[in-house]
Amino acid sequence: MRNQDRTGKHLSSPADTVLLAVARRNKGRAAGVFTASALSACAAVALPAVVGRTLDLLLAKDPEARGWLVLCAALVAAEMLLEALEALFTGTAQARSTAWLRTRAVSRLLGCAPRDAAHLTPGDTATRLSANATEAGAAPGAAAALLAALIAPVGALVALALVDLWCALAFAAGLPLLLLVLRAFAVGSSDSVARYQQVQSTLASLLTEALAGARSIAAAGTVERDRARILAPLPELGVQGRRMWSVHGRAVARSGVLLPLLTTVVVLVGGLGVVSGRVSVGELLAASRYAALAAGIGAVAGLLGTLVRSRTAARRMSGILTLPALAHGGRALPPGGPGTLRLEGVDVVQDGKFLLKDVSLTLPGGTTTAVVGRSGAGKSTLAAVAGRLCDPDAGSVLLDGVPLRELGVRQLRDEVTYAFERPSLFGDTLAAALASGARTASPAEVRAAARAAGADDFVRLLPRGYETAPGDAPLSGGEFQRLGLARAFAHAGRLLILDDATSSLDTATERRVEEALARDVGPGTRLCVAHRLSSAARADQVVWLDGGRVRAVGPHRELWRQDAYREVFAVDDGPGPQTSAAAQGERR
């Protein structure tokens, strides 16, 4: 349904907005498609009249027939050349439109807050960026070709009226039926195409999910069950595919009966005209050819189907293209600032639920703050807001007195660095992956950061060392985490945020990494999402979250006196010698 403004006027739907933007980007090539197709249609309309005139001259043995024969050949050659140009312009328009859509969509995905794109699964996103972008990109060429395709039937009908009005009236009598056939085709195709594309997306999502969890499926022995689960949408895909072809087949069958019938009626009326002397033999030939050209209006069904698919695909592409971008300001941080982070009345709401509620905190510059709480308390949301991976719905976040919203993106990402629980490494080599960031770290910085993160030893043992491709490195989860830490250390600025970035490290390795972080990594403020008691114990202060609210802030030693605080670690770590020993140490 189209949106309406306050005056009641219809506004463009998201799909139409996308298609208009694509058309504006390719108006030159679309004009080329239209021009080539229109000129080809003009040549096609002119050819029957020229052929008819040539036949009459040949029958009369008129010497002028030779020149008319040359004109016939020229029109045929021109029509072939123009059709080739039309195909060239159509192909390049679709390729460029598709490339623009994909580039714009990827930019939107990377430029929005991660939580705004969380509803898009990897499989669904891949389908939109591949098949749907290609189908939407076909719209400019198809629209131009459709407009030009109407020239030949309309021109042929006008020319038919000029040859013989009775022939034209005979043909026009069947046009309302033909238009009804085309309308039914457009309506039926739109619904079936939308359902088909949705099932395609569901299949892609299930397959991507299974590929990511292939080891779990194999270990659980559920291969057959998961295969059946992944292929479950296939029958529906078949139903919608058959429905699309059924709609198309009915339209072709009906027009296939109607159009030859109309052409036959025109020839019959024209034949009676020859008998009565109203029409010549050449004019009868021209009338039959014009009737065939006018019947070509049924051929627009193919182009109409392309536009229907393009519009449906554009509607799906709009789900990515309308993702809200994180806007950035142009302010700079005060030089030499300590990295003091302050949150003032921060709320974060998702699906009507508060993930954070009225959070106000100060992280003094140069200190380490651990964020603890049970699962779902809002720890990762706080980490995301603190470094502006998303904006709060209310309140503000300031770094050295400057709101993060007002910072330039380059300085923001240069001064605020993240390390995550599951790092992703991008680059042809491990060295390139660790060096990538708002600025490119030097080889010396990369190796120093890798040593601090405890990664240098195992990286140098790889066959190609730092030149190993990330996908070729046989690394454990803990080793990948250390590489993620190394990348963060190599780019550490005023604020370093560790979002559960040491969860896969053993206690001894985690302790060494924390010591290296304090000793070898540049000074700055640290915000650590912590699950282990030892991490909280070594922090300068602890922020205890409970249900999205700050329950308490203070040194771990003081918070440990509260039973509810101790239960946070009992739930997350579980009872065991390590926890018990740490607890005893804190009691002492």
Side-chain angles (χ1 to χ4, degrees), residues 423-451:
S424 299
L425 302 177
F426 304 106
D428 295 332
T429 65
L430 290 176
L434 299 184
S436 65
R439 64 175 183 84
T440 301
S442 67
E445 289 174 320
V446 166
R447 283 166 173 74
R451 286 193 294 272

Side-chain angles (χ1 to χ4, degrees), residues 486-503:
R487 181 175 57 191
F489 292 172
H491 299 87
R494 302 187 192 203
L495 177 62
L496 176 60
I497 301 174
L498 308 180
D499 188 358
D500 207 15
T502 60
S503 59

